[in-house]
Amino acid sequence: MSLENISAQISSIHSQINGLNQSLQIKREQLNRLIKCEQEYHHMIGSLESNYSSIRQPELSGETWTGSNADEFRRIREQEIIQSFKDILDVQSNQIESRLSDKINQLRMEVGALESQISYQRSRLYNLQSERRTLIANG
C-alpha cells in the first residue's frame, strides 16, 4: 500500500472517529436525560400514591352534606375520579415505566455499539499509523 493511500485512510478514519464520538456524546446525553426523567417519574408516582387517600376527603355523611348535589358529587368521585386515579396508578404507570425502561435499554445498547465502533476504528488507525511509520522508515 502506498504512503498516500495510507495517509488518506488515516484521515478518513479520523473523520469517522470524530463523527462516532459526536454520536456517542448525543446518545449519552439522551440516556442521562432519560434516566433523570425515569427517576423524576418514580418520585411523582410515589407522591401520587401517597396522596391517593386524600381523594376520598372530605368524608361525606348525612351530617356534612346531603341532597342531590351530594349524591352527584359522590357518584363523580367514586366512578370517575377514583377510577381515573386507579387507572393512572395501575395501568398507565406500568406502561410508562415499561416504555422508559425499554428506551433506556435501547440507548445503552446504542452507546455500547458506538463505543465498540470507536474502539475498532482506533485499532485500525493504530495499525495504519504503524504501517505508515514503517514505510517512512524504509524509505
Side-chain angles (χ1 to χ4, degrees):
M1 203 178 319
S2 73
L3 187 58
E4 292 171 357
N5 191 358
I6 291 174
S7 294
Q9 286 184 27
I10 288 173
S11 178
S12 174
I13 291 173
H14 275 295
S15 295
Q16 290 175 28
I17 291 172
N18 287 336
L20 289 168
N21 278 325
Q22 288 174 354
S23 295
L24 179 60
Q25 181 180 352
I26 291 168
K27 292 296 179 184
R28 282 182 175 160
E29 288 171 2
Q30 290 173 343
L31 178 59
N32 289 334
R33 283 194 316 263
L34 202 53
I35 289 171
K36 184 178 179 184
C37 176
E38 182 183 45
Q39 292 167 346
E40 290 173 5
Y41 177 75
H42 285 296
H43 176 73
M44 288 175 20
I45 289 297
S47 178
L48 193 60
E49 287 172 340
S50 67
N51 289 317
Y52 178 71
S53 63
S54 67
I55 64 172
R56 295 187 180 272
Q57 301 298 327
E59 183 64 38
L60 299 178
S61 67
E63 296 172 8
T64 58
W65 197 16
T66 60
S68 63
N69 287 337
D71 293 338
E72 180 66 11
F73 180 79
R74 272 190 211 97
R75 184 193 67 72
I76 290 171
R77 181 164 63 182
E78 292 297 323
Q79 293 179 359
E80 296 176 23
I81 296 173
I82 291 175
Q83 189 56 45
S84 294
F85 209 92
K86 286 180 180 179
D87 183 53
I88 289 170
L89 287 175
D90 297 338
V91 177
Q92 293 179 22
S93 68
N94 289 336
Q95 292 171 347
I96 291 169
E97 285 179 38
S98 177
R99 292 173 86 186
L100 280 170
S101 179
D102 289 348
K103 187 61 179 175
I104 287 170
N105 289 334
Q106 176 189 347
L107 284 170
R108 284 183 173 141
M109 288 184 348
E110 290 175 16
V111 164
L114 286 167
E115 289 171 340
S116 293
Q117 291 175 25
I118 290 168
S119 178
Y120 172 73
Q121 293 300 338
R122 285 185 177 152
S123 176
R124 284 185 59 211
L125 180 63
Y126 176 79
N127 291 337
L128 285 169
Q129 288 171 334
S130 294
E131 190 175 338
R132 182 174 67 180
R133 280 192 295 274
T134 301
L135 280 175
I136 290 172
N138 293 336

